[in-house]
Amino acid sequence: MREVYVDNNATTRVAPEVLEEMLPCFCDLYGNPSSLHRFGGQVGEKVWEARERVADLLGAHPDEIVFTSCGTESDNAAILGTLASYPEKRHVVTTTVEHPAVLNLCRHLEGKGYTVTYLSVDHTGMIDLDELQEAITRDTALVSIMYANNETGVVFPLEEITQIIKEKGAVFHCDAVQAVGKIPLDLRSTPVELLSLSGHKLHAPKGIGALYIRRRTPFVPFFIGGHQEGGRRAGTENVPSIIGLGKACALAKEAMAEEQRRLQILRDKLERGILERVPSCLVNGGQSRRLSNTTNMSFEAVEGEAILLLLSEEGIAASAGSACASSDPKPSHVLVAMGVPQTAIHGTIRFSLGRYNTKEEIDYILEKIPSIIQRLRELSPLWSEEKRATG
Ligand code: PLP
């Protein structure tokens, strides 16, 4: 059976070039980078080179990059590390559409006596910059706002957000897990203090992430132990994955402009094709600036899980929301926050394209999806009601 993977916001395939650079790190370059002998020195140089490559993609200094185990750890370390640096401040600002790595941590913090302001979004998925400005007070230790949404691909205006936060004098953490490698970033001109990224979203392996910490930003480490990562993240480094992440960042830098242009053409073809072939569906966040690889579509009167299952029978792997929430029957918090109509919210599918998708695969999805939706609607009492209502 044909296999089409269009769930690249959940995770990506490791690029062969990345794997190739990682392989020597298992049996040849196996020293501990902290060791003073030749085995350690060689590996230490490789880790530094990876740090330079990550920094280069972000417009950062290599010493501002701290390797972590994933995006979730980077988000947690940024938030907890900042709060511990400002113990007198007890207020955090974030948005209603963050990834659970930020949102659930903020809820946890509320239980510990912090006050959290959750900025709302409108039906296009956009926050209100005036609301952001008003939310920041002298008690605000940190503002944590994502760059690009994992479910809808909606991209927040990072420059303007940063400017407002800087004028108000708060620390800014940006969860850029979905943005890094997809949209250009230059931290020399965007004075974010902390920024999270994750390797498996850009063709590096799972289980490796990084946290950018701007020089002179107060930061209390989360892990206590050795002096690795400049004392900011204890624990012997995951060397093969760090090397892999470095290579993935170098590849992303080289290919980003062309790759994103190509993906946008494919994504638009898919989106337009579905809108033309399937009645009563809508694109969530379609009016906003979005990641060029992502489309999030709601189909009236059908269940997202049922669509996924039938797509899967045809070899197509997409997602009903974010991967982390896919075992959760509640509608996505992002779509609820955007006010997606109740009749459509449960029938939501995210297609997220990636480096290895082709035009032929898009044609294949377009060939399969109309009959899948039609089949499900024929079985749906909601659909006959809707048809009756609309005549
Ligand atoms: N933040 C965002 C926006 C994400 O999309 C994800 C993963 O989907 C994460 C954080 C968590 O990253 P990780 O899976 O590396 O923990």
Short mmCIF file of all heavy atoms in Angstrom, two decimals, residues 3-67:
data_model
loop_
_atom_site.label_atom_id
_atom_site.label_comp_id
_atom_site.label_asym_id
_atom_site.label_seq_id
_atom_site.Cartn_x
_atom_site.Cartn_y
_atom_site.Cartn_z
N GLU A 3 2.21 4.79 1.10
CA GLU A 3 2.30 5.42 2.42
C GLU A 3 2.61 6.90 2.24
O GLU A 3 3.58 7.26 1.56
CB GLU A 3 3.45 4.81 3.22
CG GLU A 3 3.26 3.34 3.50
CD GLU A 3 3.25 3.06 4.99
OE1 GLU A 3 4.34 3.00 5.56
OE2 GLU A 3 2.14 2.92 5.56
N VAL A 4 1.76 7.73 2.81
CA VAL A 4 1.97 9.17 2.70
C VAL A 4 1.99 9.76 4.11
O VAL A 4 0.98 9.72 4.82
CB VAL A 4 0.86 9.83 1.85
CG1 VAL A 4 1.06 11.34 1.80
CG2 VAL A 4 0.84 9.25 0.44
N TYR A 5 3.13 10.29 4.50
CA TYR A 5 3.27 10.84 5.85
C TYR A 5 3.10 12.36 5.80
O TYR A 5 3.94 13.07 5.23
CB TYR A 5 4.65 10.47 6.42
CG TYR A 5 4.85 10.95 7.83
CD1 TYR A 5 4.32 10.23 8.90
CD2 TYR A 5 5.54 12.13 8.11
CE1 TYR A 5 4.48 10.68 10.22
CE2 TYR A 5 5.70 12.58 9.41
CZ TYR A 5 5.16 11.84 10.45
OH TYR A 5 5.32 12.29 11.74
N VAL A 6 2.00 12.84 6.34
CA VAL A 6 1.77 14.29 6.38
C VAL A 6 1.48 14.72 7.81
O VAL A 6 0.50 15.40 8.10
CB VAL A 6 0.63 14.73 5.41
CG1 VAL A 6 1.16 14.89 3.99
CG2 VAL A 6 -0.54 13.77 5.44
N ASP A 7 2.35 14.28 8.73
CA ASP A 7 2.21 14.62 10.14
C ASP A 7 3.53 15.16 10.67
O ASP A 7 4.00 14.78 11.75
CB ASP A 7 1.77 13.36 10.90
CG ASP A 7 1.15 13.70 12.26
OD1 ASP A 7 0.87 14.90 12.50
OD2 ASP A 7 0.97 12.78 13.07
N ASN A 8 4.13 16.04 9.87
CA ASN A 8 5.49 16.51 10.20
C ASN A 8 5.55 17.50 11.36
O ASN A 8 6.63 17.77 11.86
CB ASN A 8 6.13 17.14 8.95
CG ASN A 8 6.54 16.08 7.95
OD1 ASN A 8 7.63 15.54 8.03
ND2 ASN A 8 5.64 15.76 7.02
N ASN A 9 4.39 18.04 11.80
CA ASN A 9 4.45 18.87 13.01
C ASN A 9 4.50 17.98 14.26
O ASN A 9 4.87 18.44 15.33
CB ASN A 9 3.26 19.83 13.10
CG ASN A 9 3.36 20.97 12.11
OD1 ASN A 9 4.25 20.96 11.25
ND2 ASN A 9 2.47 21.94 12.21
N ALA A 10 4.10 16.71 14.11
CA ALA A 10 4.23 15.77 15.23
C ALA A 10 5.68 15.32 15.35
O ALA A 10 6.27 15.37 16.43
CB ALA A 10 3.32 14.57 15.02
N THR A 11 6.23 14.90 14.23
CA THR A 11 7.66 14.58 14.20
C THR A 11 8.09 14.39 12.76
O THR A 11 7.24 14.17 11.88
CB THR A 11 7.99 13.32 15.04
OG1 THR A 11 9.40 13.31 15.33
CG2 THR A 11 7.62 12.03 14.33
N THR A 12 9.38 14.49 12.52
CA THR A 12 9.89 14.33 11.16
C THR A 12 10.83 13.13 11.08
O THR A 12 11.36 12.68 12.09
CB THR A 12 10.71 15.57 10.73
OG1 THR A 12 11.78 15.74 11.67
CG2 THR A 12 9.85 16.83 10.70
N ARG A 13 11.00 12.67 9.86
CA ARG A 13 11.96 11.59 9.62
C ARG A 13 13.38 12.16 9.78
O ARG A 13 13.64 13.30 9.36
CB ARG A 13 11.72 11.13 8.18
CG ARG A 13 12.68 10.14 7.67
CD ARG A 13 12.26 9.78 6.23
NE ARG A 13 13.40 9.32 5.49
CZ ARG A 13 13.45 9.26 4.17
NH1 ARG A 13 12.41 9.64 3.45
NH2 ARG A 13 14.52 8.81 3.58
N VAL A 14 14.27 11.38 10.37
CA VAL A 14 15.67 11.83 10.48
C VAL A 14 16.26 11.89 9.06
O VAL A 14 16.13 10.94 8.29
CB VAL A 14 16.49 10.88 11.38
CG1 VAL A 14 17.97 11.22 11.33
CG2 VAL A 14 15.97 10.94 12.81
N ALA A 15 16.88 13.02 8.73
CA ALA A 15 17.48 13.16 7.40
C ALA A 15 18.67 12.21 7.28
O ALA A 15 19.44 12.07 8.23
CB ALA A 15 17.95 14.60 7.20
N PRO A 16 18.85 11.56 6.12
CA PRO A 16 19.99 10.63 5.97
C PRO A 16 21.33 11.31 6.26
O PRO A 16 22.23 10.71 6.85
CB PRO A 16 19.91 10.18 4.51
CG PRO A 16 18.61 10.67 3.97
CD PRO A 16 17.99 11.62 4.93
N GLU A 17 21.45 12.59 5.87
CA GLU A 17 22.71 13.32 6.11
C GLU A 17 22.96 13.48 7.61
O GLU A 17 24.10 13.52 8.08
CB GLU A 17 22.66 14.72 5.49
CG GLU A 17 22.39 14.77 4.00
CD GLU A 17 20.90 14.88 3.65
OE1 GLU A 17 20.06 14.27 4.35
OE2 GLU A 17 20.58 15.56 2.66
N VAL A 18 21.86 13.60 8.37
CA VAL A 18 21.96 13.75 9.83
C VAL A 18 22.45 12.43 10.43
O VAL A 18 23.39 12.38 11.23
CB VAL A 18 20.58 14.17 10.41
CG1 VAL A 18 20.54 14.02 11.93
CG2 VAL A 18 20.25 15.60 9.99
N LEU A 19 21.80 11.36 10.01
CA LEU A 19 22.18 10.03 10.52
C LEU A 19 23.65 9.73 10.22
O LEU A 19 24.39 9.24 11.08
CB LEU A 19 21.27 8.96 9.90
CG LEU A 19 21.56 7.54 10.34
CD1 LEU A 19 21.29 7.37 11.84
CD2 LEU A 19 20.71 6.53 9.57
N GLU A 20 24.07 10.09 9.02
CA GLU A 20 25.45 9.83 8.61
C GLU A 20 26.45 10.50 9.56
O GLU A 20 27.46 9.93 9.92
CB GLU A 20 25.62 10.34 7.18
CG GLU A 20 26.85 9.83 6.50
CD GLU A 20 27.02 10.48 5.12
OE1 GLU A 20 26.01 10.89 4.51
OE2 GLU A 20 28.17 10.58 4.69
N GLU A 21 26.14 11.73 9.96
CA GLU A 21 27.07 12.42 10.89
C GLU A 21 26.99 11.87 12.30
O GLU A 21 27.92 12.00 13.08
CB GLU A 21 26.78 13.93 10.89
CG GLU A 21 27.20 14.57 9.61
CD GLU A 21 27.76 15.99 9.76
OE1 GLU A 21 27.97 16.46 10.90
OE2 GLU A 21 27.98 16.60 8.70
N MET A 22 25.83 11.27 12.63
CA MET A 22 25.68 10.75 14.00
C MET A 22 26.41 9.42 14.20
O MET A 22 26.92 9.14 15.28
CB MET A 22 24.19 10.52 14.31
CG MET A 22 23.38 11.78 14.48
SD MET A 22 21.63 11.41 14.68
CE MET A 22 21.64 10.56 16.27
N LEU A 23 26.42 8.59 13.14
CA LEU A 23 26.86 7.20 13.32
C LEU A 23 28.26 7.03 13.93
O LEU A 23 28.43 6.21 14.83
CB LEU A 23 26.73 6.43 11.99
CG LEU A 23 25.28 6.08 11.62
CD1 LEU A 23 25.21 5.43 10.23
CD2 LEU A 23 24.63 5.18 12.66
N PRO A 24 29.25 7.83 13.51
CA PRO A 24 30.58 7.64 14.13
C PRO A 24 30.60 7.92 15.63
O PRO A 24 31.53 7.49 16.32
CB PRO A 24 31.45 8.67 13.39
CG PRO A 24 30.70 9.05 12.17
CD PRO A 24 29.25 8.86 12.46
N CYS A 25 29.58 8.61 16.12
CA CYS A 25 29.59 8.98 17.55
C CYS A 25 29.25 7.81 18.47
O CYS A 25 29.31 7.94 19.69
CB CYS A 25 28.59 10.09 17.84
SG CYS A 25 28.85 11.52 16.85
N PHE A 26 28.85 6.68 17.91
CA PHE A 26 28.50 5.55 18.78
C PHE A 26 29.71 4.68 19.09
O PHE A 26 29.94 4.32 20.24
CB PHE A 26 27.37 4.73 18.14
CG PHE A 26 26.06 5.46 18.14
CD1 PHE A 26 25.64 6.17 17.03
CD2 PHE A 26 25.26 5.47 19.28
CE1 PHE A 26 24.44 6.87 17.04
CE2 PHE A 26 24.06 6.16 19.30
CZ PHE A 26 23.64 6.86 18.18
N CYS A 27 30.51 4.35 18.07
CA CYS A 27 31.60 3.38 18.31
C CYS A 27 32.99 3.96 18.12
O CYS A 27 33.96 3.37 18.57
CB CYS A 27 31.42 2.17 17.40
SG CYS A 27 29.89 1.30 17.76
N ASP A 28 33.12 5.10 17.42
CA ASP A 28 34.45 5.69 17.22
C ASP A 28 34.63 6.92 18.12
O ASP A 28 35.49 6.93 18.98
CB ASP A 28 34.64 6.09 15.75
CG ASP A 28 34.57 4.87 14.83
OD1 ASP A 28 34.99 3.78 15.28
OD2 ASP A 28 34.07 5.00 13.70
N LEU A 29 33.78 7.88 17.91
CA LEU A 29 33.89 9.13 18.70
C LEU A 29 33.03 8.99 19.96
O LEU A 29 32.02 9.66 20.11
CB LEU A 29 33.39 10.30 17.87
CG LEU A 29 34.25 10.73 16.68
CD1 LEU A 29 33.49 11.65 15.75
CD2 LEU A 29 35.52 11.43 17.17
N TYR A 30 33.44 8.09 20.85
CA TYR A 30 32.57 7.79 21.99
C TYR A 30 33.03 8.40 23.31
O TYR A 30 32.45 8.16 24.36
CB TYR A 30 32.41 6.27 22.15
CG TYR A 30 33.71 5.54 22.35
CD1 TYR A 30 34.28 5.44 23.61
CD2 TYR A 30 34.36 4.96 21.27
CE1 TYR A 30 35.48 4.78 23.79
CE2 TYR A 30 35.56 4.30 21.44
CZ TYR A 30 36.11 4.22 22.68
OH TYR A 30 37.31 3.59 22.86
N GLY A 31 34.06 9.24 23.25
CA GLY A 31 34.56 9.82 24.51
C GLY A 31 33.55 10.74 25.16
O GLY A 31 32.55 11.14 24.55
N ASN A 32 33.81 11.02 26.43
CA ASN A 32 32.96 11.98 27.16
C ASN A 32 33.51 13.38 26.87
O ASN A 32 34.69 13.64 27.13
CB ASN A 32 33.03 11.67 28.66
CG ASN A 32 32.11 12.55 29.48
OD1 ASN A 32 31.90 13.71 29.16
ND2 ASN A 32 31.57 11.98 30.54
N PRO A 33 32.70 14.29 26.34
CA PRO A 33 33.25 15.61 25.97
C PRO A 33 33.90 16.37 27.13
O PRO A 33 34.68 17.28 26.90
CB PRO A 33 32.04 16.37 25.41
CG PRO A 33 30.83 15.57 25.73
CD PRO A 33 31.26 14.17 26.02
N SER A 34 33.62 15.96 28.38
CA SER A 34 34.25 16.65 29.51
C SER A 34 35.62 16.07 29.84
O SER A 34 36.36 16.65 30.64
CB SER A 34 33.37 16.54 30.77
OG SER A 34 32.12 17.12 30.54
N SER A 35 35.98 14.90 29.25
CA SER A 35 37.27 14.28 29.57
C SER A 35 38.41 15.06 28.94
O SER A 35 38.27 15.59 27.84
CB SER A 35 37.31 12.84 29.05
OG SER A 35 36.29 12.08 29.67
N LEU A 36 39.56 15.05 29.64
CA LEU A 36 40.68 15.86 29.16
C LEU A 36 41.55 15.13 28.14
O LEU A 36 42.36 15.74 27.47
CB LEU A 36 41.54 16.31 30.35
CG LEU A 36 40.80 17.25 31.31
CD1 LEU A 36 41.69 17.64 32.48
CD2 LEU A 36 40.33 18.52 30.58
N HIS A 37 41.36 13.79 28.00
CA HIS A 37 42.20 13.06 27.04
C HIS A 37 41.70 13.25 25.61
O HIS A 37 40.67 13.91 25.38
CB HIS A 37 42.28 11.57 27.41
CG HIS A 37 40.95 10.97 27.75
ND1 HIS A 37 39.93 10.87 26.84
CD2 HIS A 37 40.47 10.47 28.92
CE1 HIS A 37 38.89 10.31 27.42
NE2 HIS A 37 39.19 10.06 28.69
N ARG A 38 42.44 12.62 24.67
CA ARG A 38 42.16 12.81 23.25
C ARG A 38 40.72 12.39 22.89
O ARG A 38 40.05 13.05 22.10
CB ARG A 38 43.17 11.99 22.44
CG ARG A 38 43.37 12.48 21.02
CD ARG A 38 44.46 11.69 20.33
NE ARG A 38 44.14 10.27 20.24
CZ ARG A 38 43.34 9.72 19.32
NH1 ARG A 38 42.79 10.49 18.40
NH2 ARG A 38 43.10 8.42 19.30
N PHE A 39 40.25 11.28 23.49
CA PHE A 39 38.89 10.80 23.19
C PHE A 39 37.86 11.89 23.52
O PHE A 39 36.93 12.14 22.77
CB PHE A 39 38.56 9.54 24.01
CG PHE A 39 39.27 8.31 23.55
CD1 PHE A 39 40.58 8.05 23.95
CD2 PHE A 39 38.63 7.40 22.72
CE1 PHE A 39 41.23 6.92 23.52
CE2 PHE A 39 39.28 6.26 22.29
CZ PHE A 39 40.59 6.02 22.69
N GLY A 40 38.07 12.52 24.66
CA GLY A 40 37.14 13.57 25.08
C GLY A 40 37.28 14.81 24.21
O GLY A 40 36.27 15.39 23.77
N GLY A 41 38.54 15.20 23.94
CA GLY A 41 38.80 16.42 23.19
C GLY A 41 38.14 16.40 21.81
O GLY A 41 37.49 17.36 21.38
N GLN A 42 38.30 15.25 21.13
CA GLN A 42 37.73 15.11 19.78
C GLN A 42 36.22 15.32 19.81
O GLN A 42 35.64 16.00 18.97
CB GLN A 42 37.94 13.67 19.29
CG GLN A 42 39.27 13.37 18.70
CD GLN A 42 39.31 11.89 18.31
OE1 GLN A 42 38.60 11.06 18.88
NE2 GLN A 42 40.13 11.57 17.32
N VAL A 43 35.59 14.69 20.81
CA VAL A 43 34.13 14.77 20.90
C VAL A 43 33.71 16.18 21.32
O VAL A 43 32.73 16.74 20.80
CB VAL A 43 33.60 13.70 21.88
CG1 VAL A 43 32.11 13.84 22.08
CG2 VAL A 43 33.93 12.31 21.34
N GLY A 44 34.48 16.76 22.23
CA GLY A 44 34.20 18.13 22.67
C GLY A 44 34.19 19.10 21.48
O GLY A 44 33.32 19.97 21.38
N GLU A 45 35.14 18.89 20.56
CA GLU A 45 35.18 19.76 19.37
C GLU A 45 33.93 19.59 18.52
O GLU A 45 33.38 20.54 17.99
CB GLU A 45 36.41 19.41 18.52
CG GLU A 45 37.67 20.08 19.01
CD GLU A 45 38.89 19.59 18.25
OE1 GLU A 45 38.76 19.19 17.07
OE2 GLU A 45 39.97 19.58 18.87
N LYS A 46 33.50 18.34 18.40
CA LYS A 46 32.29 18.05 17.60
C LYS A 46 31.05 18.71 18.23
O LYS A 46 30.19 19.25 17.54
CB LYS A 46 32.05 16.54 17.53
CG LYS A 46 32.97 15.83 16.57
CD LYS A 46 32.36 15.98 15.21
CE LYS A 46 33.11 15.29 14.11
NZ LYS A 46 32.68 15.78 12.79
N VAL A 47 30.97 18.62 19.55
CA VAL A 47 29.83 19.21 20.26
C VAL A 47 29.86 20.73 20.07
O VAL A 47 28.82 21.36 19.83
CB VAL A 47 29.83 18.82 21.76
CG1 VAL A 47 28.82 19.64 22.55
CG2 VAL A 47 29.54 17.32 21.91
N TRP A 48 31.05 21.30 20.11
CA TRP A 48 31.14 22.76 19.92
C TRP A 48 30.71 23.14 18.49
O TRP A 48 29.99 24.13 18.28
CB TRP A 48 32.57 23.26 20.21
CG TRP A 48 32.63 24.75 20.11
CD1 TRP A 48 33.13 25.50 19.07
CD2 TRP A 48 32.10 25.70 21.06
NE1 TRP A 48 32.95 26.84 19.32
CE2 TRP A 48 32.32 27.00 20.53
CE3 TRP A 48 31.47 25.58 22.30
CZ2 TRP A 48 31.93 28.16 21.19
CZ3 TRP A 48 31.08 26.75 22.96
CH2 TRP A 48 31.30 28.02 22.41
N GLU A 49 31.13 22.32 17.54
CA GLU A 49 30.74 22.60 16.15
C GLU A 49 29.21 22.57 16.02
O GLU A 49 28.61 23.43 15.35
CB GLU A 49 31.38 21.55 15.22
CG GLU A 49 31.22 21.89 13.76
CD GLU A 49 31.50 20.70 12.83
OE1 GLU A 49 32.01 19.66 13.29
OE2 GLU A 49 31.17 20.82 11.65
N ALA A 50 28.59 21.60 16.69
CA ALA A 50 27.11 21.50 16.65
C ALA A 50 26.49 22.75 17.28
O ALA A 50 25.52 23.31 16.78
CB ALA A 50 26.65 20.25 17.39
N ARG A 51 27.10 23.20 18.38
CA ARG A 51 26.59 24.39 19.06
C ARG A 51 26.68 25.61 18.12
O ARG A 51 25.77 26.43 18.06
CB ARG A 51 27.46 24.63 20.31
CG ARG A 51 26.80 25.39 21.42
CD ARG A 51 27.75 25.59 22.59
NE ARG A 51 28.20 24.36 23.23
CZ ARG A 51 27.48 23.61 24.05
NH1 ARG A 51 26.25 23.97 24.35
NH2 ARG A 51 27.96 22.50 24.56
N GLU A 52 27.78 25.67 17.37
CA GLU A 52 27.94 26.79 16.42
C GLU A 52 26.88 26.72 15.32
O GLU A 52 26.35 27.74 14.89
CB GLU A 52 29.34 26.72 15.77
CG GLU A 52 30.43 27.14 16.70
CD GLU A 52 31.81 27.04 16.06
OE1 GLU A 52 32.03 26.13 15.22
OE2 GLU A 52 32.69 27.84 16.42
N ARG A 53 26.57 25.48 14.89
CA ARG A 53 25.59 25.34 13.81
C ARG A 53 24.19 25.74 14.28
O ARG A 53 23.44 26.37 13.54
CB ARG A 53 25.58 23.89 13.32
CG ARG A 53 26.79 23.56 12.47
CD ARG A 53 26.87 22.08 12.23
NE ARG A 53 27.44 21.77 10.94
CZ ARG A 53 27.63 20.53 10.50
NH1 ARG A 53 27.26 19.50 11.24
NH2 ARG A 53 28.14 20.31 9.31
N VAL A 54 23.83 25.35 15.51
CA VAL A 54 22.51 25.73 16.05
C VAL A 54 22.47 27.26 16.19
O VAL A 54 21.51 27.92 15.76
CB VAL A 54 22.24 25.05 17.42
CG1 VAL A 54 20.91 25.51 18.00
CG2 VAL A 54 22.26 23.52 17.28
N ALA A 55 23.55 27.81 16.74
CA ALA A 55 23.61 29.27 16.95
C ALA A 55 23.49 30.00 15.62
O ALA A 55 22.79 31.02 15.51
CB ALA A 55 24.91 29.64 17.65
N ASP A 56 24.14 29.46 14.61
CA ASP A 56 24.14 30.10 13.30
C ASP A 56 22.72 30.18 12.72
O ASP A 56 22.33 31.17 12.11
CB ASP A 56 25.06 29.28 12.38
CG ASP A 56 25.36 30.01 11.10
OD1 ASP A 56 25.54 31.24 11.16
OD2 ASP A 56 25.38 29.36 10.03
N LEU A 57 21.94 29.15 12.93
CA LEU A 57 20.56 29.15 12.42
C LEU A 57 19.71 30.23 13.12
O LEU A 57 18.78 30.77 12.54
CB LEU A 57 19.93 27.76 12.61
CG LEU A 57 18.49 27.58 12.11
CD1 LEU A 57 18.40 27.78 10.60
CD2 LEU A 57 17.95 26.20 12.47
N LEU A 58 20.06 30.51 14.38
CA LEU A 58 19.25 31.44 15.17
C LEU A 58 19.80 32.87 15.18
O LEU A 58 19.13 33.77 15.67
CB LEU A 58 19.18 30.97 16.64
CG LEU A 58 18.68 29.55 16.92
CD1 LEU A 58 18.70 29.29 18.42
CD2 LEU A 58 17.27 29.35 16.36
N GLY A 59 21.00 33.06 14.67
CA GLY A 59 21.65 34.37 14.82
C GLY A 59 22.07 34.59 16.26
O GLY A 59 21.88 35.67 16.82
N ALA A 60 22.62 33.54 16.88
CA ALA A 60 23.00 33.61 18.29
C ALA A 60 24.50 33.34 18.43
O ALA A 60 25.18 33.00 17.47
CB ALA A 60 22.21 32.56 19.07
N HIS A 61 25.04 33.51 19.66
CA HIS A 61 26.42 33.10 19.95
C HIS A 61 26.38 31.65 20.40
O HIS A 61 25.46 31.26 21.13
CB HIS A 61 27.00 33.95 21.09
CG HIS A 61 27.03 35.41 20.78
ND1 HIS A 61 27.92 35.96 19.89
CD2 HIS A 61 26.27 36.43 21.24
CE1 HIS A 61 27.71 37.26 19.82
NE2 HIS A 61 26.71 37.58 20.62
N PRO A 62 27.40 30.86 20.06
CA PRO A 62 27.39 29.44 20.47
C PRO A 62 27.23 29.26 21.98
O PRO A 62 26.56 28.33 22.43
CB PRO A 62 28.74 28.90 19.99
CG PRO A 62 29.20 29.87 18.95
CD PRO A 62 28.55 31.18 19.21
N ASP A 63 27.82 30.17 22.79
CA ASP A 63 27.72 29.99 24.24
C ASP A 63 26.32 30.29 24.78
O ASP A 63 26.05 30.11 25.96
CB ASP A 63 28.78 30.83 24.98
CG ASP A 63 28.65 32.30 24.64
OD1 ASP A 63 27.64 32.91 25.04
OD2 ASP A 63 29.53 32.86 23.95
N GLU A 64 25.43 30.76 23.91
CA GLU A 64 24.05 31.02 24.33
C GLU A 64 23.16 29.79 24.12
O GLU A 64 21.97 29.83 24.44
CB GLU A 64 23.47 32.21 23.54
CG GLU A 64 24.17 33.53 23.89
CD GLU A 64 23.71 34.69 23.02
OE1 GLU A 64 23.59 34.51 21.79
OE2 GLU A 64 23.51 35.79 23.55
N ILE A 65 23.73 28.71 23.58
CA ILE A 65 22.95 27.50 23.29
C ILE A 65 23.18 26.46 24.38
O ILE A 65 24.33 26.09 24.65
CB ILE A 65 23.36 26.89 21.92
CG1 ILE A 65 23.23 27.94 20.80
CG2 ILE A 65 22.56 25.62 21.62
CD1 ILE A 65 21.84 28.51 20.60
N VAL A 66 22.10 25.98 24.98
CA VAL A 66 22.17 24.92 25.99
C VAL A 66 21.43 23.71 25.42
O VAL A 66 20.26 23.82 25.08
CB VAL A 66 21.49 25.39 27.30
CG1 VAL A 66 21.43 24.26 28.32
CG2 VAL A 66 22.21 26.59 27.89
N PHE A 67 22.12 22.58 25.32
CA PHE A 67 21.44 21.39 24.81
C PHE A 67 20.59 20.76 25.91
O PHE A 67 21.01 20.68 27.07
CB PHE A 67 22.45 20.38 24.25
CG PHE A 67 23.11 20.87 22.99
CD1 PHE A 67 24.47 21.17 22.95
CD2 PHE A 67 22.36 21.07 21.84
CE1 PHE A 67 25.06 21.64 21.78
CE2 PHE A 67 22.93 21.54 20.67
CZ PHE A 67 24.29 21.83 20.64
#
